[in-house]
């Protein structure tokens, strides 16, 4: 298989159409067998449930080339399970885990020429999603759905080295107290767009959202969970029923405990205690872990000792260990890497 001739280090994070995508339709209470298609366009009723009432959820994961040349995906079973949970929360049919894993295998194998080579820093991003496709005008769940999965190569997240982020404490909320914060719904992102655009206009990289009920506790950003490091080298990560459970964050917690022998506390984190921490990072599939250098709370600056120039030592260790596992340089826990058979 010959790789596409792309400038892997400079492709950035934008959509590049690849050769094949997977499609399965749900009708009369059942999923069809599913297929790969070359057609990247979707033909939909003007009244489709997704267009009227935003009935859609998604996932995001990556395929990598390991040091020894295999193509692997990272914990896709966790994405499958989380998507089933998202579907239940939006009154959509579950796409079964085994079917999901098969779709990942087929989609990556069919686009193997787009899986960036080892060492390039680039990866193949995989986007599974599902939406209500049949007409809905009175408010109710659609009767028919489409599940799709495409892949698009993405460049290294930190081009030219890691740069610690500056984030602000947001006056907007990303989730209601008993709403959809814990599920990966497109609607959570729609309502975060105004908040992120205004954060960027004011010179911040991201928003820190607080718990919507009391506005005293740290939740997450628009698309990444927080990990804090205490001055005595413990990991602290916020616990809340309205946080989206990041697979990267859960993996980093495992790495901290089992590979680095660190103590981890998953608990409520008050905004007022954040100034005590030594390091702060944002966890998600896109960047694995991005260091935060500064948090601005309505003019009051919280500056982490790790500073604005470089990533903190514990954050660096977590990053190196998890990316080492993903790239096959460090032995992975059982079941974390799923190899894609390439014919
Ligand atoms: C997807 C997502 C994350 C990150 O999850 P990963 O599984 O680590 O990619 C964090 N927060 C929100 C709101 C998300 O949608």
């Amino acid at each position: 298989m010959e790789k596409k001739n792309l400038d892997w280090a400079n492709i950035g994070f934008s959509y590049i159409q690849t050769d094949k995508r997977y499609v399965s339709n749900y009708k009369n209470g059942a999923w069809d067998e599913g297929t790969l298609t070359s057609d990247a366009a979707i033909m939909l009723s003007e009244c489709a449930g997704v267009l009227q009432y935003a009935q859609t959820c998604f996932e995001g994961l990556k395929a990598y080339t390991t040091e020894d040349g295999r193509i692997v995906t990272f914990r896709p079973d966790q994405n499958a399970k989380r998507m089933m949970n998202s579907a239940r929360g939006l009154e959509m049919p579950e796409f079964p885990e085994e079917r999901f894993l098969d779709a990942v295998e087929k989609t990556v194998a069919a686009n193997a020429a787009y899986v960036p080579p080892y060492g390039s820093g680039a990866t193949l991003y995989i986007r599974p999603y599902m939406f209500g496709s049949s007409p809905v005008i009175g408010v109710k769940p659609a009767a028919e759905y489409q599940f799709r999965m495409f892949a698009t190569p993405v460049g290294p997240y930190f081009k030219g080295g890691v740069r610690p982020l500056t984030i602000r404490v947001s006056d907007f909320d990303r989730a209601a107290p008993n709403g959809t914060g814990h599920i990966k719904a497109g609607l959570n992102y729609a309502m975060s767009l105004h908040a992120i655009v205004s954060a960027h206009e004011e010179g911040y990289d991201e928003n820190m959202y607080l718990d919507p009920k009391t506005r005293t506790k740290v939740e997450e950003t628009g698309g990444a969970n927080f990990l804090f490091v205490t001055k005595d080298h413990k990991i602290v990560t916020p616990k809340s029923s309205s946080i989206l459970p990041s697979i990267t964050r859960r993996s980093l917690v495992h790495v901290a405990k089992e590979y680095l022998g660190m103590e981890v506390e998953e608990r409520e984190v008050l905004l007022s205690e954040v100034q005590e921490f030594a390091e702060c990072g944002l966890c998600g599939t896109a960047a694995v872990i991005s260091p935060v250098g500064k948090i601005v709370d309505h003019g009051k600056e919280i500056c982490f000792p790790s500073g604005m120039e470089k990533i903190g030592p514990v954050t660096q260790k977590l990053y190196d260990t998890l990316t080492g596992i993903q790239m096959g340089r460090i032995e992975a826990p059982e079941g974390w890497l799923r190899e894609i058979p390439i014919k």
Side-chain angles (χ1 to χ4, degrees):
M1 177 256 318
E2 205 170 314
K3 292 285 176 195
K4 296 285 170 182
N5 186 21
L6 295 175
D7 180 9
W8 303 109
N10 294 301
I11 48 181
F13 200 99
S14 52
Y15 173 69
I16 296 171
Q17 191 178 314
T18 53
D19 297 341
K20 301 280 184 186
R21 68 277 307 125
Y22 181 91
V23 187
S24 181
N25 287 294
Y26 181 90
K27 198 175 175 169
N28 298 325
W31 289 104
D32 68 12
E33 64 183 12
T35 184
L36 287 173
T37 170
S38 302
D39 191 355
I42 298 172
M43 179 85 118
L44 265 184
S45 162
E46 64 185 356
C47 199
V50 59
L51 299 179
Q52 302 312 321
Y53 303 122
Q55 199 185 12
T56 179
C57 62
F58 68 100
E59 274 299 324
L61 66 157
K62 284 175 169 180
Y64 317 82
T65 306
T66 57
E67 192 170 29
D68 59 1
R70 294 172 298 143
I71 294 178
V72 300
T73 50
F74 182 69
R75 308 189 74 183
D77 56 314
Q78 297 301 311
N79 296 94
K81 290 186 173 82
R82 191 169 66 186
M83 193 166 186
M84 289 166 73
N85 188 54
S86 296
R88 284 194 298 273
L90 294 169
E91 292 294 336
M92 303 168 87
E94 294 175 356
F95 195 70
E97 179 174 342
E98 284 313 309
R99 292 281 315 269
F100 184 101
L101 295 174
D102 178 59
V104 169
E105 204 164 276
K106 288 193 165 95
T107 306
V108 176
N111 298 298
Y114 292 91
V115 182
Y118 175 77
S120 65
T123 54
L124 186 73
Y125 185 75
I126 305 160
R127 168 53 58 86
Y129 59 113
M130 191 200 291
F131 52 87
S133 53
S134 60
V136 175
I137 194 77
V139 177
K140 63 172 189 298
E144 297 173 13
Y145 295 85
Q146 190 165 103
F147 171 91
R148 295 178 77 100
M149 187 182 291
F150 67 77
T152 188
V154 294
Y157 196 82
F158 297 110
K159 241 179 66 187
V162 176
R163 177 185 64 91
L165 306 177
T166 301
I167 66 179
R168 71 166 183 193
V169 175
S170 177
D171 287 326
F172 301 103
D173 294 321
R174 70 166 284 277
N178 299 295
T180 53
H182 62 297
I183 65 182
K184 216 165 169 74
L187 60 91
N188 293 340
Y189 282 77
M191 62 176 274
S192 75
L193 293 177
H194 177 63
I196 192 66
V197 168
S198 78
H200 288 166
E201 280 167 2
E202 289 172 24
Y204 302 105
D205 296 299
E206 275 292 346
N207 285 299
M208 168 188 270
Y209 292 106
L210 301 178
D211 75 294
K213 205 179 221 156
T214 71
R215 304 193 61 81
T216 58
K217 291 170 275 187
V218 176
E219 294 252 299
E220 59 171 320
T221 66
N225 288 180
F226 281 102
L227 269 191
F228 297 100
V229 182
T230 65
K231 289 185 178 133
D232 55 356
H233 286 194
K234 268 191 273 182
I235 301 286
V236 177
T237 186
K239 186 174 181 164
S240 152
S241 59
S242 45
I243 290 177
L244 190 286
S246 158
I247 296 164
T248 313
R249 188 251 303 158
R250 280 142 55 198
S251 303
L252 288 164
V253 161
H254 181 89
V255 161
K257 283 184 191 158
E258 305 301 326
Y259 285 67
L260 306 178
M262 298 178 72
E263 214 175 296
V264 179
E265 291 175 7
E266 207 171 316
R267 60 165 171 83
E268 290 188 338
V269 175
L270 295 171
L271 176 60
S272 59
E273 67 178 300
V274 166
Q275 62 197 40
E276 307 296 329
F277 295 128
E279 296 175 40
C280 172
L282 298 178
C283 326
T285 295
V288 180
I289 185 163
S290 324
V292 174
K294 194 195 309 186
I295 299 173
V296 180
D297 176 16
H298 302 89
K300 180 185 160 224
E301 293 196 345
I302 301 168
C303 298
F304 294 101
S306 50
M308 296 305 295
E309 297 301 321
K310 56 184 193 325
I311 182 167
V314 176
T315 309
Q316 180 77 58
K317 194 108 193 110
L318 287 166
Y319 177 85
D320 290 345
T321 310
L322 187 57
T323 52
I325 289 170
Q326 291 171 333
M327 298 295 169
R329 295 187 296 261
I330 297 173
E331 184 160 342
E334 177 80 38
W336 276 25
L337 297 187
R338 248 182 110 92
E339 188 172 344
I340 307 293
I342 304 296
K343 284 164 227 69

